[in-house]
Structure formats: structure tokens, C-alpha cells
Amino acid sequence: MKNIRNFCIIAHIDHGKSTLADRLLQTTNTISEREMMDQVLDDMDLEREKGITIKSHAIQINYKHTDGQEFILNLIDTPGHVDFSYEVSRALAACEGALLLVDATQGIQAQTISNLYLAIDNNLEIIPVINKIDMDGAMIEEVKDQIIELIGCKPEDILLASGRTGIGIEGILQAIVERIPAPKGNPEEPLQALIFDSVFNSFRGIIVYFRVLNGTIRKGDIVKFVSTDADYEAAEVGILKLKMTEKKEVGAGDVGYLITGIKNAKEVKVGDTITLKNKPTQEMIKGFQEVKPMVFAGIFPVNTDDFEELRDCMDKLQLNDASLTYELETSQALGFGFRCGFLGMLHMEIIQERLEREFNQTVITTVPNVSFIAYTTKGEKVIVNNPTEFPDPVKTDRIEEPYIKAQIITKPEYIGNIMTLCLGKRGILMNQSYLTTTRVELQFEMPLTEIVFDFYDKLKSQTRGYASFDYHPIGYRESDIVKMDILLNGDKVDALSALIHRGRSQDFGRKLCEKLKELLPRQQFQIAIQAAVGAKVLARETISAMRKDVTAKCYGGDISRKRKLLEKQKEGKKRMRQIGNVEVPQEAFLAVLKLDD
């Protein structure tokens, strides 16, 4: 056990975590040249396309130290985006140390700081590494000063490396062995293992990834999952190389996988403790905090018949992404579906993409919103997750909305732009401090509702990409929130309703009506689009009537041409929804997200 090291890599987005992980694997010959490719641990197509890590990935490295000793290093690569901080917290719980990676050209960013605090909370040994030192714009001395100021280490403790060219990789491996403590644990005690991830495999069932704290798990053992109190036979245990490698046993301090043939996703909980049935441990491992979703949206199948299939897909997806929460929901316009909780907008986009790619599900997503707390005149507390649950204004005493503390790090020349953006989003400036002469940190308290839509994109465009953003919730505050309905020919479209601050409602309603006018197809009758709060109509647009003959161009020729055209039309119709007598295309539901202020 003294030769095992468990560590992860934490950093801001695009600071080179995956590239550094590639080099570590290459230098130690963990993977052959043939298997080598960029972002080797990011096995999802989406991760490769977007160049981001979405899931943490575990892999075992064998490293021979200069003094001849063989070491086993368990690396868990973590995501950098604020929406996936839950993945990071899970990876940290399974490690004793962390490489804190900082880009030499960009310096310390907001996510670096928040991930660092997560690591310090878990009592991890921090090894600071400055990456990309071979780049033209590298500011090595300045970044060194920033790190020393942040974590109070000595200048000689900071390692210099380049993930792309492989400079300094050997030094990092030596530092991991020398500075990160070996795992503590007793192989003789009852088995106590922490589940930090799980994946679904259509042939083997659910594969559980765990870290053994005490005891040993062997093939053929009858294991018990403490929180669900269920027993299973360990059909296969092993360690995680690039592919899973079967072993007879996995001992204390090590990271491995377990296959028991479980088919039901509900039986495996991330953060649960695994123990042996005949010799159980007395205490559960203090696992992870329950995940708090920030953004809620409805996900509905395009065809109502596909609902059961979508439910299975959601189960499997939740297994792979423990931060996704969902419950059943029905909508007059869209039928049966799910009310899902996400950690942020990027998370929501990724889930929607994964449903389409991995499970071949075409879904409609409703307007994302956050959860509010309404207090009735009788003093009852009602949690409002979507507009349909909004109580009658007459019976409502007050409404509270969630606030967050936002931390933005940027260059001084963009302070004005950021102030304008945040104050326009009802933000309150709490603090402004200069980290160095060229970096300033701004702290705002803002309503989460204002951030849900397009805040992040706007922040990037206002600062030419030079701002990094991080946030955490700070509780609820009273606010003047109203429910805005969209009416098509007098019928409410519940999927387009939104909860919004009264001051923003008129402006938002007008823009939404204009957008819908562009997107709704013209019918053989006139359509009135209205935005209303209660009985008061705030905005109106009208689409005039028309008639369209699609087969007009198919004169003469084979009848199959006409049929082909009509079939193609039929496919297009599938993606639409009949609401009363007006067809609303999929784009209309997404348009609400892309309204430019």
C-alpha cells in the first residue's frame, strides 16, 4: 500500500488537464503508441468535439521511480467547467492529492480558485504546476507570484511543465510520489469502499467504480451496498487501465471497478459504501453532499408513445451523471415528460445532446428556470419549480428567489463592461480587489434567474473571452416575480410560460412575441401571439394567413416523386406540436433561450 498514490488534476477550463494526462500516460508507457490520441481519457464524442471534459475518468499508471521502486498511481482526470463541479467533488473524495494546474499564458482564473478550495476542504496535498511554459505569451514569473499569493507555497515547490511538448513530466511524476501521502487504511479490517462513479454497459449491467478505504474485495465475495441494504455477488473485480483489467482482488487504498450484474440504475448510489455481507463495516463513509440542481427544465418526447423509452434512457443517463435529477411532469401542450434539474446551462445542453446521440431520443426542452419559494397568505411555504405550480397571486403573500455570489476575474480594462452587464441583471457589487496589477476580482450578489439564460455568453463577448466566472448559492431573498403566459389565439401555451421579475416582463414579452412571429409557420388562418401577466396583455404580434401548395412543382413524371415529397413533409411534421390549432415548431421552444437583450 505504501507504493500507491491517488491523485487528480484540477484546473480552469482549457488549462491543459487532458493534455497533461495524455503525457503522463505516454511517459509511463501506460498506453501504447497505437492507442495514443489527443484527449485519450475523454471517451465521449461530445467531449472531443467541444474540447471539454464532462466526466471524471479514472486510470491506473505504473511508474518506476529513479531509485528502482515500482509505484501504482491512480489518476482521476476532472472537468474544469463550473457546471461540472459536482464531478470534481466526487473525484476529490477518492484522492489524497491534487495537481493544481495553471496556464502560464492566462494565470489564475475563477475556477482554479473554487476547485482549489474544494481540494483544501478535502485535506488534499496540493502540487502547483504551471503548464504551457513553451507558449510565446507565457508569463512564468507573474503566474508564480499569483500561485504563491494564493496557496502560500515556496517558489521552488512550483513545477514548470508543458503538456504539449512533454517538458517537466518526469518532475511531476516524482513530485506525485514524493509529496502526496500514501493512502491510509487497514487491509485486515472489514471492507469499506466508496462508490465515486458508475457506468451502464448493455452487456454487463452496471459497472461500479470504487475506492477501497479499508479491507480487500475479492472476486466471488458477497458484497452489500449499505444505503440500499442490498447484497450482490462480485462477479468480477479489477483495476482501471485504458480498458478494464480483471484481478483476483483489489486491496485497501486502491481504485477499481466491480461488476455484479445489477440492471436497475436505482440500486447504485454514488457516494454509497460497499462492504461484505458476512463481515460488514460498522460505519458508512461520509460520502458526498446531495447535489443541488440550479436550473430546471422540462424534457418531453416528440412522440408521446416514446415516453417509456425516454424514462429508461433517463435512468441510464442518471447513472452515468449523478448530478442529473428528474421527476415526472405532464403538460397540456406536450403530454408526459420529465422535470429535470441541472447544474447549469451547459449541463442542460450536454444532457440534451447525449440523449440524442447516445440514446437516439429526439426531445423537446421547455424554458429553463430556477426554483422559487412562495409563501401563501396562510403562511404555507410552496416550492415552485415550474410556472404551472405558481400559486394564485391573490393568495400569495411574498415570493423569494435564489441568489448567488458571483466571482469574476478579469483585466482592468473590462471592469466597465462587466459592471454594466451585472447591474443590468439586477446584480449588487459587493467587492472589488486587484489580485495583481493586470487582474481584478469582482464579487457580485445576483439573482440566479438572470444568469440562467445567456449571462455566460454575454460575459465572454463583453470581455473578449478574458473573464472567468464562478458562482455558488447564498440563499433566497424576497422579490417581485410574476408569471408570464404566452397565448396563441387566446390559448395558453404552458410550455412557453416563464417566471420573471416584474420589471423585466414587458421587455421580455415583447421580444418573445417578435421572435415567435418569425418562427411560427403561417397557417390558413390568422394567428394572434400575446404575452400576458394575469389578465393584462403586455405585447401582441399577428401572423397573417396564407395557403401553400407543396406538390405544385411535381407536374408530370412518376407518382413516386410526389410521394417522396409528402413523406419528407410528414417527417417535418413529427417535430411539431399541435397546440390547439397552431403548430409550434421545436425551434420556438429553444428561441426563448436565445433572446438578445
Side-chain angles (χ1 to χ4, degrees):
M1 232 175 79
K2 66 180 196 311
N3 284 13
I4 296 176
R5 300 286 184 273
N6 297 316
F7 72 102
C8 59
I9 305 177
I10 52 176
H12 190 75
I13 317 153
D14 271 351
H15 279 203
K17 288 179 297 300
S18 300
T19 315
L20 181 72
D22 290 352
R23 285 303 88 73
L24 291 172
L25 298 177
Q26 219 175 357
T27 311
T28 53
N29 297 323
T30 305
I31 47 177
S32 62
E33 285 300 323
R34 195 168 63 86
E35 293 170 315
M36 187 63 212
M37 54 183 174
D38 286 346
Q39 287 178 268
V40 71
L41 291 181
D42 294 349
D43 49 14
M44 251 187 267
D45 293 345
L46 261 175
E47 291 180 313
R48 300 187 161 284
E49 276 171 33
K50 291 184 183 281
I52 56 174
T53 304
I54 295 167
K55 288 282 303 161
S56 341
H57 297 272
I59 189 165
Q60 193 170 92
I61 300 172
N62 294 82
Y63 170 62
K64 194 165 186 177
H65 195 263
T66 41
D67 61 7
Q69 284 192 61
E70 293 271 348
F71 284 90
I72 292 173
L73 312 179
N74 288 311
L75 155 67
I76 302 177
D77 181 25
T78 63
H81 197 280
V82 61
D83 279 11
F84 304 114
S85 56
Y86 182 66
E87 284 283 331
V88 179
S89 73
R90 287 167 33 190
L92 294 174
C95 294
E96 275 87 27
L99 295 181
L100 178 74
L101 208 57
V102 182
D103 186 330
T105 59
Q106 294 185 6
I108 285 174
Q109 310 251 297
Q111 209 60 47
T112 319
I113 296 176
S114 68
N115 285 344
L116 171 70
Y117 289 152
L118 273 176
I120 291 171
D121 288 348
N122 280 319
N123 296 323
L124 264 58
E125 178 64 37
I126 310 285
I127 301 178
V129 179
I130 298 179
N131 193 22
K132 306 191 186 179
I133 56 165
D134 58 320
M135 301 274 280
D136 293 342
M139 312 171 291
I140 298 171
E141 291 310 313
E142 285 177 38
V143 177
K144 262 190 185 175
D145 294 343
Q146 289 176 23
I147 294 176
I148 292 165
E149 206 169 312
L150 181 68
I151 58 176
C153 61
K154 298 190 181 74
E156 56 271 22
D157 290 346
I158 300 172
L159 305 175
L160 303 181
S162 161
R164 198 175 49 141
T165 56
I167 303 167
I169 299 298
E170 189 58 42
I172 292 177
L173 287 163
Q174 285 182 19
I176 291 167
V177 168
E178 286 156 19
R179 293 196 215 170
I180 294 177
K184 298 179 179 66
N186 185 345
E188 304 309 317
E189 280 189 23
L191 173 67
Q192 194 186 27
L194 170 77
I195 300 177
F196 68 88
D197 206 354
S198 54
V199 291
F200 184 80
N201 180 308
S202 44
F203 304 110
R204 310 295 309 267
I206 288 161
I207 301 170
V208 176
Y209 294 166
F210 60 85
R211 152 81 200 271
V212 185
L213 298 185
N214 289 310
T216 306
I217 183 168
R218 297 180 177 81
K219 184 176 177 174
D221 279 347
I222 304 294
V223 293
K224 177 177 156 192
F225 288 9
V226 177
S227 71
T228 53
D229 204 22
D231 318 332
Y232 308 98
E233 184 191 349
E236 185 182 313
V237 295
I239 55 166
L240 297 151
K241 291 286 201 186
L242 191 57
K243 297 194 168 52
M244 294 185 294
T245 310
E246 193 174 347
K247 288 273 186 194
K248 289 271 192 304
E249 58 178 50
V250 178
D254 218 342
V255 173
Y257 71 90
L258 162 72
I259 296 175
T260 55
I262 306 172
K263 289 283 189 282
N264 183 359
K266 295 274 184 288
E267 292 173 36
V268 178
K269 286 193 168 62
V270 169
D272 194 2
T273 305
I274 309 176
T275 187
L276 295 177
K277 187 185 178 187
N278 52 8
K279 192 181 166 190
T281 177
Q282 294 311 307
E283 54 182 297
M284 273 188 76
I285 300 165
K286 299 283 181 288
F288 312 110
Q289 68 281 28
E290 278 295 303
V291 57
K292 290 191 192 73
M294 298 293 239
V295 174
F296 294 88
I299 286 188
F300 294 87
V302 170
N303 287 335
T304 348
D305 312 347
D306 298 343
F307 172 70
E308 283 303 325
E309 198 181 326
L310 180 63
R311 186 203 294 254
D312 289 346
C313 299
M314 295 295 281
D315 274 349
K316 287 172 189 168
L317 196 54
Q318 187 182 35
L319 179 76
N320 195 258
D321 183 347
S323 45
L324 168 70
T325 56
Y326 65 90
E327 57 194 46
L328 287 175
E329 182 184 44
T330 51
S331 148
Q332 299 154 355
L334 303 171
F336 289 104
F338 297 98
R339 179 97 203 136
C340 302
F342 307 98
L343 296 179
M345 289 298 281
L346 177 72
H347 187 207
M348 176 177 141
E349 194 184 316
I350 296 289
I351 292 289
Q352 203 179 334
E353 282 265 336
R354 286 183 69 184
L355 277 171
E356 293 206 357
R357 290 189 187 198
E358 294 172 31
F359 301 102
N360 212 2
Q361 293 287 318
T362 315
V363 291
I364 289 177
T365 316
T366 61
V367 185
N369 60 359
V370 301
S371 60
F372 298 91
I373 296 178
Y375 291 92
T376 63
T377 43
K378 291 179 183 169
E380 294 166 348
K381 179 177 168 182
V382 182
I383 292 176
V384 182
N385 278 338
N386 67 344
T388 48
E389 296 167 5
F390 197 72
D392 186 347
V394 181
K395 296 175 184 162
T396 311
D397 177 38
R398 67 183 192 281
I399 290 168
E400 294 184 349
E401 65 174 333
Y403 263 72
I404 57 156
K405 186 173 191 176
Q407 177 190 34
I408 299 169
I409 296 178
T410 185
K411 291 187 170 182
E413 58 259 40
Y414 300 120
I415 292 179
N417 293 2
I418 291 176
M419 292 277 200
T420 315
L421 174 67
C422 293
L423 297 175
K425 298 269 186 192
R426 298 191 285 135
I428 307 156
L429 180 66
M430 302 308 287
N431 193 3
Q432 175 179 341
S433 56
Y434 280 83
L435 301 173
T436 63
T437 49
T438 55
R439 306 176 73 72
V440 61
E441 180 188 22
L442 301 168
Q443 287 187 350
F444 286 92
E445 287 186 358
M446 301 173 75
L448 183 60
T449 337
E450 301 289 342
I451 282 188
V452 165
F453 286 110
D454 51 2
F455 178 78
Y456 196 65
D457 298 344
K458 286 225 168 103
L459 179 69
K460 285 288 182 206
S461 57
Q462 298 274 355
T463 58
R464 300 194 184 149
Y466 277 111
S468 60
F469 171 68
D470 187 53
Y471 63 86
H472 58 267
I474 52 172
Y476 284 78
R477 295 182 188 176
E478 193 173 336
S479 187
D480 188 8
I481 299 292
V482 292
K483 176 184 174 188
M484 194 179 76
D485 292 307
I486 296 293
L487 310 173
L488 295 182
N489 281 353
D491 294 331
K492 283 185 187 173
V493 184
D494 62 351
L496 288 174
S497 298
L499 296 172
I500 190 161
H501 190 264
R502 194 184 295 275
R504 303 279 306 276
S505 59
Q506 187 151 3
D507 195 34
F508 183 76
R510 197 177 65 248
K511 284 185 176 146
L512 188 51
C513 287
E514 284 169 10
K515 195 83 174 175
L516 286 173
K517 183 178 179 180
E518 289 169 29
L519 290 167
L520 290 180
R522 288 168 69 190
Q523 307 284 350
Q524 272 86 344
F525 49 85
Q526 192 180 14
I527 304 172
I529 307 167
Q530 293 167 307
V533 169
K536 185 182 176 191
V537 175
L538 303 175
R540 174 184 168 128
E541 291 286 340
T542 309
I543 300 177
S544 50
M546 56 83 80
R547 185 178 184 286
K548 184 177 172 191
D549 182 6
V550 285
T551 53
K553 60 183 179 209
C554 293
Y555 50 87
D558 196 343
I559 184 72
S560 62
R561 286 180 60 206
K562 245 183 207 182
R563 281 209 195 106
K564 193 172 169 191
L565 191 60
L566 291 169
E567 276 300 310
K568 198 169 166 193
Q569 270 241 302
K570 204 157 132 194
E571 279 300 312
K573 292 259 193 239
K574 251 190 196 168
R575 286 185 74 93
M576 299 206 175
R577 271 314 168 105
Q578 287 289 352
I579 296 177
N581 50 8
V582 180
E583 289 179 338
V584 179
Q586 166 84 344
E587 291 79 55
F589 295 111
L590 299 175
V592 191
L593 318 184
K594 299 193 169 61
L595 283 182
D596 285 323
D597 285 354

